[in-house]
Amino acid sequence: MKRTPKSPLRDTLASNLRSLRAERGWSQERLALESGLNRTYLSAVERSEQNISIDNVWRLAQALDIDPANLLKMKLRS
């Protein structure tokens, strides 16, 4: 399987997704159910191993009830 090279934005999305899911006390299975995505796919996204389409970013944001941009916001370094 061909892999897309990782980017800092993919790592940011993975970290933000894990944090937001944990804040809600949701399992990966729950988020997968709420978003209509496969749990295995979601797990790979959270490990920054899987590239994700903009449509799936939107689906995750809808499930989490947030603006999709919040999944992509990089934290500023101090």
Side-chain angles (χ1 to χ4, degrees):
M1 171 177 10
K2 183 178 177 185
R3 296 247 180 220
T4 306
K6 275 189 174 185
S7 70
L9 189 57
R10 190 190 297 181
D11 290 337
T12 296
L13 178 115
S15 176
N16 290 344
L17 188 56
R18 278 191 312 273
S19 295
L20 289 163
R21 182 176 58 75
E23 284 174 13
R24 286 160 178 74
W26 287 8
S27 64
Q28 286 180 344
E29 191 168 324
R30 167 87 187 266
L31 181 54
L33 179 65
E34 296 288 336
S35 64
L37 298 174
N38 180 281
R39 193 209 52 82
T40 304
Y41 169 79
L42 182 59
S43 176
V45 169
E46 283 194 0
R47 291 189 317 271
S48 194
E49 293 177 352
Q50 177 72 45
N51 203 2
I52 185 169
S53 73
I54 196 72
D55 292 335
N56 287 341
V57 169
W58 181 84
R59 291 169 81 176
L60 290 167
Q62 291 294 302
L64 294 165
D65 196 28
I66 61 168
D67 186 308
N70 290 339
L71 287 172
L72 303 174
K73 285 186 181 172
M74 293 181 165
K75 294 180 175 56
L76 298 176
R77 296 178 189 199
S78 7

Coordinates of all heavy atoms in Angstrom, one line a residue:
M1 N 0.8 -1.2 0.0 CA 0.0 0.0 0.0 C 0.9 1.2 0.0 O 1.8 1.3 0.8 CB -0.9 0.0 1.2 CG -1.6 1.3 1.4 SD -2.8 1.5 2.8 CE -2.7 0.1 3.8
K2 N 0.6 2.2 -0.9 CA 1.4 3.4 -1.0 C 0.9 4.3 0.2 O -0.2 4.6 0.4 CB 1.1 4.1 -2.3 CG 1.9 5.3 -2.5 CD 1.7 5.9 -3.9 CE 2.5 7.2 -4.0 NZ 2.2 7.9 -5.3
R3 N 1.9 4.9 0.9 CA 1.6 5.8 2.0 C 2.0 7.2 1.5 O 3.0 7.4 0.9 CB 2.5 5.4 3.2 CG 2.1 4.1 3.7 CD 1.5 4.3 5.1 NE 1.1 2.9 5.6 CZ 0.0 2.7 6.2 NH1 -0.9 3.7 6.4 NH2 -0.3 1.5 6.7
T4 N 1.2 8.2 1.9 CA 1.5 9.6 1.7 C 2.4 10.0 2.8 O 2.2 9.7 4.0 CB 0.2 10.4 1.8 OG1 -0.8 9.9 0.9 CG2 0.4 11.9 1.5
P5 N 3.5 10.8 2.4 CA 4.4 11.2 3.5 C 3.7 12.0 4.6 O 2.8 12.8 4.3 CB 5.4 12.1 2.7 CG 5.3 11.7 1.3 CD 3.9 11.2 1.1
K6 N 4.1 11.8 5.8 CA 3.5 12.5 6.9 C 3.8 14.0 6.8 O 4.8 14.4 6.3 CB 4.1 12.0 8.2 CG 3.4 10.8 8.8 CD 3.9 10.6 10.2 CE 3.2 9.5 10.9 NZ 3.6 9.4 12.3
S7 N 2.9 14.8 7.4 CA 3.1 16.3 7.5 C 2.8 16.7 8.9 O 2.1 16.0 9.6 CB 2.2 17.0 6.5 OG 0.9 16.9 6.9
P8 N 3.3 17.9 9.3 CA 3.0 18.4 10.6 C 1.5 18.6 10.8 O 1.0 18.4 11.9 CB 3.7 19.7 10.7 CG 4.8 19.6 9.7 CD 4.3 18.7 8.6
L9 N 0.8 18.9 9.7 CA -0.7 19.1 9.8 C -1.4 17.8 10.1 O -2.3 17.8 10.9 CB -1.2 19.8 8.5 CG -2.7 20.2 8.6 CD1 -2.9 21.2 9.7 CD2 -3.1 20.9 7.3
R10 N -0.9 16.7 9.5 CA -1.5 15.4 9.8 C -1.3 15.1 11.3 O -2.2 14.6 12.0 CB -0.9 14.3 9.0 CG -1.7 13.0 9.1 CD -1.1 11.9 8.5 NE -0.9 12.0 7.0 CZ -0.4 11.0 6.3 NH1 0.0 9.9 6.8 NH2 -0.2 11.2 5.0
D11 N -0.1 15.4 11.8 CA 0.2 15.1 13.3 C -0.7 16.0 14.1 O -1.2 15.6 15.2 CB 1.6 15.4 13.6 CG 2.6 14.4 13.0 OD1 2.1 13.2 12.7 OD2 3.8 14.7 12.8
T12 N -0.9 17.2 13.7 CA -1.8 18.2 14.5 C -3.2 17.6 14.5 O -3.8 17.6 15.6 CB -1.8 19.6 13.9 OG1 -0.4 20.1 14.0 CG2 -2.7 20.5 14.5
L13 N -3.7 17.2 13.4 CA -5.1 16.7 13.3 C -5.2 15.5 14.2 O -6.2 15.4 15.0 CB -5.5 16.3 11.9 CG -6.9 15.7 11.8 CD1 -7.8 16.6 11.0 CD2 -6.8 14.4 11.2
A14 N -4.2 14.6 14.2 CA -4.3 13.4 15.0 C -4.3 13.7 16.5 O -5.1 13.2 17.3 CB -3.1 12.5 14.7
S15 N -3.5 14.7 16.9 CA -3.4 15.1 18.3 C -4.7 15.7 18.8 O -5.2 15.4 19.8 CB -2.2 16.0 18.5 OG -2.1 16.5 19.8
N16 N -5.2 16.7 17.9 CA -6.4 17.4 18.3 C -7.6 16.4 18.4 O -8.4 16.5 19.3 CB -6.7 18.5 17.3 CG -5.7 19.6 17.4 OD1 -5.0 19.8 18.3 ND2 -5.7 20.4 16.3
L17 N -7.6 15.5 17.4 CA -8.7 14.5 17.4 C -8.7 13.7 18.7 O -9.7 13.5 19.4 CB -8.6 13.6 16.2 CG -9.8 12.7 15.9 CD1 -11.1 13.4 15.8 CD2 -9.5 11.9 14.6
R18 N -7.5 13.2 19.1 CA -7.4 12.3 20.3 C -7.8 13.2 21.5 O -8.6 12.7 22.4 CB -6.0 11.9 20.5 CG -5.6 10.6 19.7 CD -4.3 10.0 20.1 NE -3.2 11.0 20.2 CZ -2.4 11.4 19.2 NH1 -2.6 10.8 18.0 NH2 -1.5 12.3 19.4
S19 N -7.4 14.4 21.6 CA -7.7 15.3 22.8 C -9.2 15.6 22.9 O -9.8 15.4 23.9 CB -6.9 16.6 22.7 OG -5.6 16.4 22.8
L20 N -9.8 15.9 21.7 CA -11.2 16.3 21.8 C -12.1 15.0 22.1 O -13.0 15.1 22.8 CB -11.6 16.9 20.4 CG -11.1 18.3 20.1 CD1 -11.2 18.6 18.6 CD2 -11.8 19.3 20.9
R21 N -11.7 13.9 21.6 CA -12.4 12.7 21.8 C -12.3 12.3 23.3 O -13.3 12.0 24.0 CB -11.9 11.5 21.0 CG -12.6 10.2 21.2 CD -12.1 9.1 20.2 NE -10.7 8.9 20.3 CZ -10.1 8.2 21.3 NH1 -10.8 7.7 22.3 NH2 -8.8 7.9 21.3
A22 N -11.1 12.5 23.9 CA -10.8 12.1 25.3 C -11.6 13.1 26.2 O -12.1 12.7 27.2 CB -9.3 12.2 25.6
E23 N -11.7 14.4 25.8 CA -12.4 15.4 26.6 C -13.9 15.0 26.8 O -14.5 15.3 27.8 CB -12.4 16.8 26.0 CG -11.1 17.5 26.1 CD -11.0 18.8 25.3 OE1 -12.1 19.3 24.8 OE2 -9.9 19.3 25.2
R24 N -14.4 14.3 25.8 CA -15.8 13.9 25.8 C -16.0 12.5 26.4 O -17.1 12.1 26.7 CB -16.4 13.9 24.4 CG -16.6 15.3 23.8 CD -16.7 15.3 22.3 NE -17.0 16.6 21.8 CZ -16.1 17.6 21.8 NH1 -14.9 17.5 22.2 NH2 -16.5 18.8 21.3
G25 N -14.9 11.9 26.7 CA -14.9 10.5 27.3 C -15.4 9.5 26.3 O -15.9 8.5 26.7
W26 N -15.2 9.8 25.0 CA -15.6 8.9 24.0 C -14.5 7.9 23.6 O -13.3 8.2 23.5 CB -16.0 9.6 22.7 CG -17.3 10.4 22.8 CD1 -18.1 10.6 23.9 CD2 -17.9 11.1 21.7 NE1 -19.1 11.4 23.5 CE2 -19.1 11.7 22.2 CE3 -17.6 11.3 20.4 CZ2 -19.9 12.4 21.4 CZ3 -18.4 12.0 19.6 CH2 -19.6 12.6 20.1
S27 N -14.9 6.7 23.3 CA -14.0 5.7 22.7 C -13.9 5.9 21.2 O -14.7 6.7 20.6 CB -14.5 4.3 22.9 OG -15.8 4.1 22.2
Q28 N -12.9 5.3 20.6 CA -12.8 5.4 19.2 C -14.0 4.8 18.5 O -14.5 5.3 17.5 CB -11.5 4.7 18.7 CG -10.3 5.4 18.9 CD -9.0 4.7 18.4 OE1 -9.1 3.5 18.1 NE2 -7.9 5.4 18.4
E29 N -14.5 3.8 19.1 CA -15.7 3.1 18.6 C -16.9 4.1 18.6 O -17.7 4.2 17.6 CB -16.0 1.9 19.4 CG -17.1 1.0 18.7 CD -17.2 -0.4 19.3 OE1 -16.2 -0.9 19.7 OE2 -18.3 -0.8 19.4
R30 N -17.1 4.9 19.7 CA -18.2 5.8 19.7 C -18.0 6.9 18.7 O -19.0 7.3 18.0 CB -18.2 6.4 21.2 CG -19.1 7.7 21.3 CD -20.5 7.3 21.6 NE -21.4 8.5 21.6 CZ -21.7 9.2 22.7 NH1 -21.2 8.9 23.9 NH2 -22.5 10.2 22.6
L31 N -16.8 7.5 18.5 CA -16.6 8.5 17.5 C -16.8 8.0 16.1 O -17.4 8.6 15.3 CB -15.2 9.1 17.7 CG -14.9 10.2 16.7 CD1 -15.9 11.4 16.7 CD2 -13.5 10.8 16.9
A32 N -16.4 6.7 15.9 CA -16.6 6.1 14.6 C -18.1 6.0 14.3 O -18.6 6.3 13.2 CB -15.9 4.7 14.6
L33 N -18.9 5.6 15.3 CA -20.3 5.4 15.2 C -21.0 6.8 14.9 O -21.8 7.0 14.0 CB -20.9 4.8 16.4 CG -22.4 4.6 16.4 CD1 -22.8 3.6 15.3 CD2 -22.9 4.1 17.8
E34 N -20.6 7.8 15.7 CA -21.2 9.1 15.6 C -20.8 9.8 14.2 O -21.6 10.6 13.7 CB -20.7 10.0 16.7 CG -21.1 9.6 18.1 CD -22.6 9.8 18.4 OE1 -23.2 10.7 17.7 OE2 -23.1 9.1 19.2
S35 N -19.6 9.5 13.7 CA -19.2 10.1 12.4 C -19.5 9.3 11.2 O -19.4 9.8 10.1 CB -17.7 10.4 12.5 OG -17.0 9.2 12.6
G36 N -19.8 8.0 11.4 CA -20.1 7.2 10.3 C -18.8 6.6 9.6 O -18.8 6.2 8.4
L37 N -17.7 6.7 10.3 CA -16.4 6.2 9.8 C -16.1 4.9 10.4 O -16.6 4.5 11.5 CB -15.3 7.2 10.1 CG -15.5 8.6 9.4 CD1 -14.4 9.6 9.9 CD2 -15.5 8.5 7.9
N38 N -15.2 4.1 9.8 CA -14.7 2.9 10.3 C -13.8 3.1 11.5 O -12.9 3.9 11.4 CB -14.0 2.1 9.1 CG -13.5 0.8 9.5 OD1 -12.5 0.7 10.2 ND2 -14.3 -0.2 9.2
R39 N -13.9 2.3 12.5 CA -13.1 2.5 13.7 C -11.6 2.2 13.4 O -10.7 2.9 13.9 CB -13.5 1.5 14.8 CG -12.8 2.0 16.2 CD -12.6 0.8 17.1 NE -12.0 -0.3 16.6 CZ -10.6 -0.5 16.4 NH1 -9.8 0.5 16.8 NH2 -10.1 -1.6 16.0
T40 N -11.3 1.3 12.6 CA -9.9 1.0 12.2 C -9.3 2.2 11.5 O -8.2 2.5 11.7 CB -9.8 -0.3 11.4 OG1 -10.4 -1.4 12.1 CG2 -8.4 -0.7 11.0
Y41 N -10.1 2.7 10.5 CA -9.6 3.9 9.8 C -9.4 5.1 10.8 O -8.3 5.7 10.7 CB -10.7 4.3 8.8 CG -10.5 5.7 8.1 CD1 -9.5 5.8 7.1 CD2 -11.2 6.7 8.5 CE1 -9.4 7.1 6.5 CE2 -11.1 8.0 7.9 CZ -10.1 8.1 6.9 OH -10.0 9.4 6.3
L42 N -10.3 5.3 11.7 CA -10.2 6.4 12.7 C -9.0 6.2 13.6 O -8.2 7.1 13.9 CB -11.5 6.4 13.6 CG -11.5 7.5 14.6 CD1 -11.5 8.9 14.0 CD2 -12.8 7.3 15.4
S43 N -8.7 4.9 13.9 CA -7.5 4.6 14.7 C -6.2 5.0 14.0 O -5.3 5.6 14.5 CB -7.5 3.1 15.1 OG -6.3 2.8 15.8
A44 N -6.2 4.7 12.7 CA -5.0 5.1 11.9 C -4.9 6.6 11.7 O -3.8 7.1 11.7 CB -5.1 4.4 10.5
V45 N -6.0 7.3 11.6 CA -6.0 8.7 11.6 C -5.4 9.3 12.9 O -4.5 10.2 12.9 CB -7.4 9.3 11.3 CG1 -7.4 10.8 11.5 CG2 -7.8 9.0 9.9
E46 N -5.8 8.8 14.0 CA -5.4 9.2 15.3 C -3.9 8.9 15.5 O -3.2 9.5 16.4 CB -6.2 8.6 16.4 CG -7.5 9.3 16.6 CD -8.2 8.9 17.9 OE1 -7.6 8.2 18.7 OE2 -9.3 9.4 18.1
R47 N -3.4 7.9 14.9 CA -1.9 7.6 15.0 C -1.1 8.3 13.9 O 0.1 8.1 13.8 CB -1.7 6.1 14.8 CG -2.2 5.3 16.0 CD -1.8 3.8 16.0 NE -1.9 3.2 14.7 CZ -3.0 2.6 14.2 NH1 -4.1 2.5 14.9 NH2 -3.0 2.0 13.0
S48 N -1.8 9.2 13.1 CA -1.2 9.9 12.0 C -0.6 9.0 11.0 O 0.4 9.4 10.3 CB -0.1 10.9 12.6 OG 0.3 11.8 11.7
E49 N -1.2 7.9 10.8 CA -0.7 6.9 9.8 C -1.5 7.0 8.5 O -1.1 6.5 7.5 CB -0.8 5.5 10.3 CG 0.2 5.2 11.5 CD 0.1 3.8 12.0 OE1 -0.9 3.1 11.7 OE2 0.9 3.5 12.9
Q50 N -2.7 7.5 8.6 CA -3.7 7.5 7.5 C -3.9 9.0 7.1 O -4.3 9.8 7.9 CB -5.0 6.9 7.9 CG -6.1 6.9 6.8 CD -5.8 5.9 5.7 OE1 -5.3 4.8 5.9 NE2 -5.9 6.4 4.5
N51 N -3.8 9.3 5.8 CA -4.2 10.6 5.3 C -5.7 10.6 5.3 O -6.4 9.6 5.3 CB -3.7 10.8 3.9 CG -3.6 12.2 3.5 OD1 -3.9 13.1 4.3 ND2 -3.2 12.4 2.2
I52 N -6.3 11.8 5.5 CA -7.8 11.9 5.6 C -8.3 13.0 4.6 O -7.7 14.0 4.4 CB -8.1 12.3 7.1 CG1 -9.6 12.3 7.3 CG2 -7.5 13.6 7.5 CD1 -10.0 12.4 8.8
S53 N -9.5 12.7 4.1 CA -10.1 13.6 3.1 C -10.7 14.8 3.9 O -11.1 14.6 5.1 CB -11.1 12.9 2.3 OG -12.3 12.6 3.0
I54 N -10.9 15.9 3.2 CA -11.6 17.0 3.8 C -13.0 16.6 4.2 O -13.6 17.1 5.2 CB -11.5 18.2 2.9 CG1 -11.8 19.5 3.6 CG2 -12.4 18.1 1.7 CD1 -10.8 19.9 4.6
D55 N -13.7 15.8 3.4 CA -15.0 15.3 3.7 C -15.1 14.6 5.1 O -16.0 14.8 5.9 CB -15.6 14.4 2.6 CG -15.8 15.2 1.3 OD1 -16.0 16.4 1.4 OD2 -15.8 14.5 0.3
N56 N -14.0 13.8 5.3 CA -14.0 13.1 6.6 C -13.6 14.0 7.8 O -14.1 13.7 8.9 CB -13.1 11.9 6.5 CG -13.7 10.7 5.7 OD1 -14.9 10.7 5.5 ND2 -12.9 9.8 5.2
V57 N -12.8 15.0 7.5 CA -12.6 16.0 8.6 C -13.9 16.6 8.9 O -14.2 16.8 10.1 CB -11.6 17.1 8.1 CG1 -11.5 18.3 9.1 CG2 -10.2 16.5 7.9
W58 N -14.7 17.0 7.9 CA -16.0 17.6 8.2 C -16.9 16.6 9.0 O -17.6 17.0 9.9 CB -16.7 17.9 6.9 CG -18.0 18.6 7.0 CD1 -18.3 19.9 7.3 CD2 -19.3 18.0 7.0 NE1 -19.6 20.1 7.4 CE2 -20.3 18.9 7.2 CE3 -19.7 16.6 6.8 CZ2 -21.6 18.6 7.3 CZ3 -21.1 16.4 6.8 CH2 -22.0 17.3 7.1
R59 N -16.9 15.3 8.6 CA -17.8 14.3 9.3 C -17.4 14.2 10.8 O -18.2 14.2 11.7 CB -17.7 13.0 8.7 CG -18.4 13.0 7.3 CD -18.0 11.7 6.5 NE -18.9 10.6 7.0 CZ -18.9 9.5 6.4 NH1 -18.1 9.2 5.4 NH2 -19.7 8.5 6.9
L60 N -16.1 14.2 11.1 CA -15.6 14.2 12.5 C -15.9 15.4 13.2 O -16.4 15.4 14.4 CB -14.1 14.0 12.5 CG -13.6 12.6 12.0 CD1 -12.1 12.6 11.8 CD2 -14.0 11.5 13.1
A61 N -15.8 16.6 12.6 CA -16.2 17.9 13.2 C -17.7 17.9 13.6 O -18.1 18.3 14.7 CB -15.8 19.0 12.3
Q62 N -18.5 17.4 12.7 CA -19.9 17.4 12.9 C -20.2 16.4 14.1 O -21.0 16.8 15.0 CB -20.7 16.9 11.7 CG -20.6 17.8 10.5 CD -21.4 19.1 10.8 OE1 -22.6 19.0 11.1 NE2 -20.7 20.2 10.7
A63 N -19.6 15.3 14.2 CA -19.8 14.4 15.3 C -19.4 15.0 16.6 O -20.0 14.8 17.6 CB -19.0 13.1 15.0
L64 N -18.3 15.7 16.6 CA -17.8 16.4 17.8 C -18.4 17.7 18.1 O -18.1 18.3 19.1 CB -16.2 16.5 17.7 CG -15.4 15.2 17.6 CD1 -14.0 15.5 17.2 CD2 -15.4 14.6 19.0
D65 N -19.3 18.2 17.2 CA -20.0 19.5 17.3 C -19.0 20.6 17.4 O -19.1 21.5 18.3 CB -21.0 19.4 18.5 CG -22.0 20.6 18.4 OD1 -22.3 21.1 17.3 OD2 -22.4 21.0 19.5
I66 N -18.0 20.7 16.5 CA -17.0 21.7 16.5 C -16.9 22.2 15.1 O -17.3 21.6 14.1 CB -15.7 21.3 17.0 CG1 -15.1 20.1 16.2 CG2 -15.7 20.9 18.5 CD1 -13.6 19.8 16.5
D67 N -16.2 23.4 14.9 CA -15.8 23.9 13.6 C -14.7 23.0 13.1 O -13.8 22.7 13.8 CB -15.3 25.3 13.8 CG -15.1 26.0 12.5 OD1 -14.3 25.5 11.6 OD2 -15.6 27.1 12.3
P68 N -14.8 22.6 11.8 CA -13.7 21.7 11.3 C -12.3 22.3 11.4 O -11.4 21.6 11.6 CB -14.1 21.6 9.8 CG -15.6 21.8 9.8 CD -15.9 22.8 10.9
A69 N -12.2 23.7 11.4 CA -10.9 24.3 11.5 C -10.3 24.0 12.8 O -9.0 24.0 12.9 CB -11.1 25.8 11.3
N70 N -11.1 23.7 13.9 CA -10.5 23.4 15.2 C -9.7 22.1 15.2 O -8.8 21.9 16.0 CB -11.6 23.3 16.2 CG -12.1 24.7 16.5 OD1 -11.5 25.7 16.3 ND2 -13.3 24.7 17.1
L71 N -10.0 21.2 14.2 CA -9.2 20.0 14.1 C -7.8 20.2 13.5 O -6.9 19.4 13.7 CB -10.0 18.9 13.3 CG -11.2 18.3 14.0 CD1 -12.0 17.4 13.0 CD2 -10.7 17.5 15.2
L72 N -7.7 21.3 12.8 CA -6.5 21.6 12.1 C -5.6 22.7 12.7 O -4.5 23.0 12.2 CB -6.8 22.0 10.6 CG -7.6 20.9 9.9 CD1 -8.0 21.5 8.5 CD2 -6.8 19.6 9.7
K73 N -6.1 23.3 13.8 CA -5.3 24.4 14.4 C -4.1 23.8 15.1 O -4.1 23.0 16.0 CB -6.2 25.1 15.5 CG -7.2 26.0 14.8 CD -7.9 26.8 15.9 CE -9.0 27.6 15.2 NZ -9.8 28.3 16.2
M74 N -2.9 24.4 14.7 CA -1.7 24.1 15.3 C -1.5 24.9 16.6 O -1.9 26.1 16.6 CB -0.5 24.3 14.4 CG -0.5 23.4 13.2 SD 0.9 23.8 12.1 CE 0.9 22.4 11.1
K75 N -1.0 24.3 17.6 CA -0.7 25.0 18.8 C 0.6 25.9 18.7 O 1.5 25.4 18.1 CB -0.6 24.1 20.0 CG -1.9 23.4 20.3 CD -1.7 22.4 21.5 CE -3.0 21.8 21.9 NZ -3.8 21.1 20.9
L76 N 0.5 27.1 19.1 CA 1.7 28.0 19.0 C 2.7 27.5 20.0 O 2.4 27.2 21.2 CB 1.3 29.4 19.2 CG 0.3 30.0 18.2 CD1 0.0 31.4 18.5 CD2 1.0 30.0 16.8
R77 N 4.0 27.6 19.6 CA 5.0 27.2 20.6 C 5.4 28.4 21.4 O 5.5 29.5 20.8 CB 6.2 26.7 19.8 CG 5.9 25.4 19.1 CD 7.1 24.9 18.4 NE 6.6 23.8 17.5 CZ 7.4 22.9 17.0 NH1 8.7 22.9 17.2 NH2 6.9 21.9 16.3
S78 N 5.7 28.3 22.7 CA 6.1 29.4 23.5 C 7.6 29.6 23.5 O 8.4 28.8 23.2 CB 5.6 29.3 24.9 OG 5.0 28.1 25.2

